[in-house]
Amino acid sequence: MKQGLSVMAYLPGNAGERPGPACGAEVGAITVIEGRHFGEMRRTDAQSWLESEAPLSPMGREFLLYWHSKCPAPPGSGFPTRADIAPEEIPRLLPHIFMVDVLEREGEDLDFHFRLVGTAIANIEGEHTDRQLSDMFPDRAAYEVLWRQYRDAVAGNIWVRRETLRWRDRDHVEYEVILAPLQDDAGRVSMLIGLAHGSDN
């Protein structure tokens, strides 16, 4: 971890644009984002929905059902922890899973450190384990919807983003990205777990 950075501990609801709902709470909104260029790959035709209104793929639904199954009882008492996530329970999802630490620089906005990136994600997007979101997308205004997806996940708001990845020399991929919070033993959101995959799965 870079000097001056620490893992950020957030209570659900104290980041993002609205209070974070409990696991399973229904919220809804939609926004459309423009395509952006990422080297030789372009992200186009992107849309994002809050969980309750999202047109989920079967894999996206499987991921969210698993995350909700790990939420503590009773509803509204918090989010799953990292220890609740058992890789042997989700073998089909593992290549498409990524995990990020929530980071804080004193006096600055949140940042996110990629702790783990699944092999299927790396095959499509390139390897970015140990990178920070601010290194990959330094212009936060230009990538506001992407940054909001991360910030709102810290607050407990789960966005589902779907977009088309395009290359000059290969077939395009319809891509789905979901982020959900993980809390630490103190009940604070310090990690996010995500799913990123071609949405025909």
Side-chain angles (χ1 to χ4, degrees), residues 59-71:
M59 184 173 285
R61 189 174 299 109
E62 181 181 348
F63 170 77
L64 286 173
L65 284 172
Y66 180 75
W67 180 83
H68 280 289
S69 76
K70 298 298 182 177
C71 289

PDB file of all heavy atoms in Angstrom, residues 59-71:
ATOM      1  N   MET A  59     -25.945 -14.686 -14.454  1.00  0.00           N
ATOM      2  CA  MET A  59     -24.786 -14.647 -13.569  1.00  0.00           C
ATOM      3  C   MET A  59     -24.872 -13.480 -12.597  1.00  0.00           C
ATOM      4  O   MET A  59     -24.508 -13.606 -11.419  1.00  0.00           O
ATOM      5  CB  MET A  59     -23.485 -14.574 -14.374  1.00  0.00           C
ATOM      6  CG  MET A  59     -22.241 -14.620 -13.500  1.00  0.00           C
ATOM      7  SD  MET A  59     -20.692 -14.745 -14.438  1.00  0.00           S
ATOM      8  CE  MET A  59     -20.762 -16.457 -14.948  1.00  0.00           C
ATOM      9  N   GLY A  60     -25.352 -12.337 -13.064  1.00  0.00           N
ATOM     10  CA  GLY A  60     -25.534 -11.206 -12.168  1.00  0.00           C
ATOM     11  C   GLY A  60     -26.527 -11.519 -11.068  1.00  0.00           C
ATOM     12  O   GLY A  60     -26.327 -11.168  -9.900  1.00  0.00           O
ATOM     13  N   ARG A  61     -27.605 -12.210 -11.426  1.00  0.00           N
ATOM     14  CA  ARG A  61     -28.603 -12.605 -10.425  1.00  0.00           C
ATOM     15  C   ARG A  61     -27.998 -13.591  -9.428  1.00  0.00           C
ATOM     16  O   ARG A  61     -28.231 -13.490  -8.213  1.00  0.00           O
ATOM     17  CB  ARG A  61     -29.812 -13.227 -11.135  1.00  0.00           C
ATOM     18  CG  ARG A  61     -31.002 -13.480 -10.228  1.00  0.00           C
ATOM     19  CD  ARG A  61     -32.205 -13.961 -11.031  1.00  0.00           C
ATOM     20  NE  ARG A  61     -32.615 -12.962 -12.012  1.00  0.00           N
ATOM     21  CZ  ARG A  61     -32.447 -13.089 -13.324  1.00  0.00           C
ATOM     22  NH1 ARG A  61     -31.873 -14.180 -13.826  1.00  0.00           N
ATOM     23  NH2 ARG A  61     -32.847 -12.145 -14.146  1.00  0.00           N
ATOM     24  N   GLU A  62     -27.206 -14.529  -9.918  1.00  0.00           N
ATOM     25  CA  GLU A  62     -26.556 -15.504  -9.034  1.00  0.00           C
ATOM     26  C   GLU A  62     -25.624 -14.802  -8.044  1.00  0.00           C
ATOM     27  O   GLU A  62     -25.592 -15.136  -6.852  1.00  0.00           O
ATOM     28  CB  GLU A  62     -25.779 -16.515  -9.878  1.00  0.00           C
ATOM     29  CG  GLU A  62     -25.072 -17.594  -9.082  1.00  0.00           C
ATOM     30  CD  GLU A  62     -24.305 -18.563  -9.973  1.00  0.00           C
ATOM     31  OE1 GLU A  62     -24.500 -18.539 -11.210  1.00  0.00           O
ATOM     32  OE2 GLU A  62     -23.495 -19.343  -9.428  1.00  0.00           O
ATOM     33  N   PHE A  63     -24.860 -13.832  -8.543  1.00  0.00           N
ATOM     34  CA  PHE A  63     -23.945 -13.085  -7.679  1.00  0.00           C
ATOM     35  C   PHE A  63     -24.700 -12.346  -6.581  1.00  0.00           C
ATOM     36  O   PHE A  63     -24.338 -12.414  -5.395  1.00  0.00           O
ATOM     37  CB  PHE A  63     -23.143 -12.099  -8.534  1.00  0.00           C
ATOM     38  CG  PHE A  63     -22.333 -11.106  -7.752  1.00  0.00           C
ATOM     39  CD1 PHE A  63     -21.140 -11.477  -7.150  1.00  0.00           C
ATOM     40  CD2 PHE A  63     -22.764  -9.793  -7.619  1.00  0.00           C
ATOM     41  CE1 PHE A  63     -20.390 -10.557  -6.426  1.00  0.00           C
ATOM     42  CE2 PHE A  63     -22.025  -8.863  -6.898  1.00  0.00           C
ATOM     43  CZ  PHE A  63     -20.834  -9.248  -6.301  1.00  0.00           C
ATOM     44  N   LEU A  64     -25.762 -11.636  -6.945  1.00  0.00           N
ATOM     45  CA  LEU A  64     -26.496 -10.863  -5.951  1.00  0.00           C
ATOM     46  C   LEU A  64     -27.255 -11.756  -4.978  1.00  0.00           C
ATOM     47  O   LEU A  64     -27.347 -11.444  -3.784  1.00  0.00           O
ATOM     48  CB  LEU A  64     -27.442  -9.884  -6.642  1.00  0.00           C
ATOM     49  CG  LEU A  64     -26.746  -8.679  -7.279  1.00  0.00           C
ATOM     50  CD1 LEU A  64     -27.728  -7.856  -8.096  1.00  0.00           C
ATOM     51  CD2 LEU A  64     -26.083  -7.806  -6.214  1.00  0.00           C
ATOM     52  N   LEU A  65     -27.792 -12.864  -5.456  1.00  0.00           N
ATOM     53  CA  LEU A  65     -28.451 -13.799  -4.543  1.00  0.00           C
ATOM     54  C   LEU A  65     -27.453 -14.340  -3.520  1.00  0.00           C
ATOM     55  O   LEU A  65     -27.777 -14.488  -2.335  1.00  0.00           O
ATOM     56  CB  LEU A  65     -29.089 -14.949  -5.325  1.00  0.00           C
ATOM     57  CG  LEU A  65     -30.387 -14.625  -6.065  1.00  0.00           C
ATOM     58  CD1 LEU A  65     -30.804 -15.801  -6.948  1.00  0.00           C
ATOM     59  CD2 LEU A  65     -31.504 -14.282  -5.084  1.00  0.00           C
ATOM     60  N   TYR A  66     -26.241 -14.632  -3.979  1.00  0.00           N
ATOM     61  CA  TYR A  66     -25.219 -15.123  -3.053  1.00  0.00           C
ATOM     62  C   TYR A  66     -24.861 -14.048  -2.035  1.00  0.00           C
ATOM     63  O   TYR A  66     -24.790 -14.319  -0.828  1.00  0.00           O
ATOM     64  CB  TYR A  66     -23.973 -15.560  -3.821  1.00  0.00           C
ATOM     65  CG  TYR A  66     -22.881 -16.082  -2.917  1.00  0.00           C
ATOM     66  CD1 TYR A  66     -22.980 -17.345  -2.343  1.00  0.00           C
ATOM     67  CD2 TYR A  66     -21.765 -15.305  -2.617  1.00  0.00           C
ATOM     68  CE1 TYR A  66     -21.992 -17.827  -1.495  1.00  0.00           C
ATOM     69  CE2 TYR A  66     -20.776 -15.780  -1.770  1.00  0.00           C
ATOM     70  CZ  TYR A  66     -20.894 -17.041  -1.213  1.00  0.00           C
ATOM     71  OH  TYR A  66     -19.920 -17.502  -0.359  1.00  0.00           O
ATOM     72  N   TRP A  67     -24.643 -12.816  -2.507  1.00  0.00           N
ATOM     73  CA  TRP A  67     -24.302 -11.722  -1.584  1.00  0.00           C
ATOM     74  C   TRP A  67     -25.413 -11.521  -0.556  1.00  0.00           C
ATOM     75  O   TRP A  67     -25.153 -11.414   0.643  1.00  0.00           O
ATOM     76  CB  TRP A  67     -24.047 -10.443  -2.379  1.00  0.00           C
ATOM     77  CG  TRP A  67     -23.686  -9.268  -1.529  1.00  0.00           C
ATOM     78  CD1 TRP A  67     -22.456  -8.952  -1.026  1.00  0.00           C
ATOM     79  CD2 TRP A  67     -24.574  -8.238  -1.067  1.00  0.00           C
ATOM     80  NE1 TRP A  67     -22.519  -7.800  -0.284  1.00  0.00           N
ATOM     81  CE2 TRP A  67     -23.801  -7.348  -0.293  1.00  0.00           C
ATOM     82  CE3 TRP A  67     -25.932  -7.991  -1.242  1.00  0.00           C
ATOM     83  CZ2 TRP A  67     -24.353  -6.216   0.311  1.00  0.00           C
ATOM     84  CZ3 TRP A  67     -26.487  -6.872  -0.642  1.00  0.00           C
ATOM     85  CH2 TRP A  67     -25.703  -6.000   0.121  1.00  0.00           C
ATOM     86  N   HIS A  68     -26.664 -11.485  -1.005  1.00  0.00           N
ATOM     87  CA  HIS A  68     -27.780 -11.303  -0.077  1.00  0.00           C
ATOM     88  C   HIS A  68     -27.874 -12.459   0.914  1.00  0.00           C
ATOM     89  O   HIS A  68     -28.249 -12.257   2.076  1.00  0.00           O
ATOM     90  CB  HIS A  68     -29.096 -11.163  -0.844  1.00  0.00           C
ATOM     91  CG  HIS A  68     -29.322  -9.797  -1.404  1.00  0.00           C
ATOM     92  ND1 HIS A  68     -29.610  -8.704  -0.623  1.00  0.00           N
ATOM     93  CD2 HIS A  68     -29.287  -9.343  -2.690  1.00  0.00           C
ATOM     94  CE1 HIS A  68     -29.758  -7.635  -1.388  1.00  0.00           C
ATOM     95  NE2 HIS A  68     -29.559  -7.990  -2.644  1.00  0.00           N
ATOM     96  N   SER A  69     -27.537 -13.670   0.473  1.00  0.00           N
ATOM     97  CA  SER A  69     -27.618 -14.820   1.378  1.00  0.00           C
ATOM     98  C   SER A  69     -26.609 -14.723   2.512  1.00  0.00           C
ATOM     99  O   SER A  69     -26.765 -15.393   3.540  1.00  0.00           O
ATOM    100  CB  SER A  69     -27.389 -16.123   0.600  1.00  0.00           C
ATOM    101  OG  SER A  69     -26.008 -16.317   0.280  1.00  0.00           O
ATOM    102  N   LYS A  70     -25.582 -13.900   2.339  1.00  0.00           N
ATOM    103  CA  LYS A  70     -24.553 -13.735   3.361  1.00  0.00           C
ATOM    104  C   LYS A  70     -24.805 -12.530   4.264  1.00  0.00           C
ATOM    105  O   LYS A  70     -24.043 -12.296   5.209  1.00  0.00           O
ATOM    106  CB  LYS A  70     -23.176 -13.597   2.699  1.00  0.00           C
ATOM    107  CG  LYS A  70     -22.753 -14.824   1.892  1.00  0.00           C
ATOM    108  CD  LYS A  70     -22.642 -16.055   2.772  1.00  0.00           C
ATOM    109  CE  LYS A  70     -22.180 -17.268   1.986  1.00  0.00           C
ATOM    110  NZ  LYS A  70     -22.005 -18.454   2.862  1.00  0.00           N
ATOM    111  N   CYS A  71     -25.849 -11.761   3.986  1.00  0.00           N
ATOM    112  CA  CYS A  71     -26.162 -10.617   4.840  1.00  0.00           C
ATOM    113  C   CYS A  71     -26.613 -11.102   6.216  1.00  0.00           C
ATOM    114  O   CYS A  71     -27.360 -12.078   6.321  1.00  0.00           O
ATOM    115  CB  CYS A  71     -27.261  -9.767   4.212  1.00  0.00           C
ATOM    116  SG  CYS A  71     -26.737  -8.846   2.755  1.00  0.00           S
TER     117      CYS A  71
END
